Amino acid sequence: MRPAGISAAVALLAACVLVAAPAAAFTPEEIAAAANVARQVEADVQTLASDAFEGRGNEAPGGLAAREWIIDRLEPIAAGLAAGPGRAAYVQPFDVTSANVVAVIPGTTHADEFVVVGAHYDHFPPSGCRGLGSGDAICNGATDNATGVAMVIQ
């Protein structure tokens, strides 16, 4: 079963990608590439919003697992930006119990210029969920904010 909001998020992504210019302005290869990005975003949202991440509570086991998953996705395409060796370079603590995941993807044309994008990867801890069906104790957070993280990774 898909967490709520995944299909809507993917549809929004596809609409943003494909309405940026008239359809005739896109080659079949560009349209296929946009469709591939949309499929990858949907797969990433399904992963982040799965029960395996237990709602991605900040510093809860599911939130820490989500952080590691995000670093796994970033390592092949980006360098860590925080102080520290290896995977620690992707983790930027900002208080006693919280951390951001930070990375940089160097530009090819304007390597000295930067565009900053971000998305929070945490969601509600299991004790903070509202409106769950009977027997469900996990807020999956497809729209808060698995979709944002999936878009940023792309």
Side-chain angles (χ1 to χ4, degrees), residues 1 15 21 26 87 98 153:
M1 183 163 112
F26 293 105
R87 294 173 71 82
S98 302
I153 289 173

Side-chain angles (χ1 to χ4, degrees), residues 33-134:
N36 286 336
V37 168
R39 281 190 288 277
Q40 185 60 57
V41 167
E42 182 174 14
D44 288 349
V45 172
Q46 286 178 348
T47 298
L48 283 167
S50 72
D51 286 354
F53 290 117
E54 303 171 333
R56 300 183 314 282
N58 194 20
E59 294 302 310
L64 296 173
R67 179 188 307 161
E68 293 302 313
W69 181 88
I70 293 165
I71 294 170
D72 288 344
R73 294 280 285 126
L74 288 173
E75 276 185 316
I77 61 170
L81 197 55
R87 294 173 71 82
Y90 293 88
V91 180
Q92 177 194 45
F94 65 88
D95 65 25
V96 176
T97 63
S98 302
N100 291 318
V101 175
V102 294
V104 63
I105 302 170
T108 53
T109 304
H110 301 284
D112 60 336
E113 296 179 18
F114 298 90
V115 175
V116 177
V117 293
H120 68 95
Y121 64 92
D122 64 329
H123 187 58
F124 296 106
S127 62
C129 294
R130 292 174 284 160
L132 295 173
S134 71

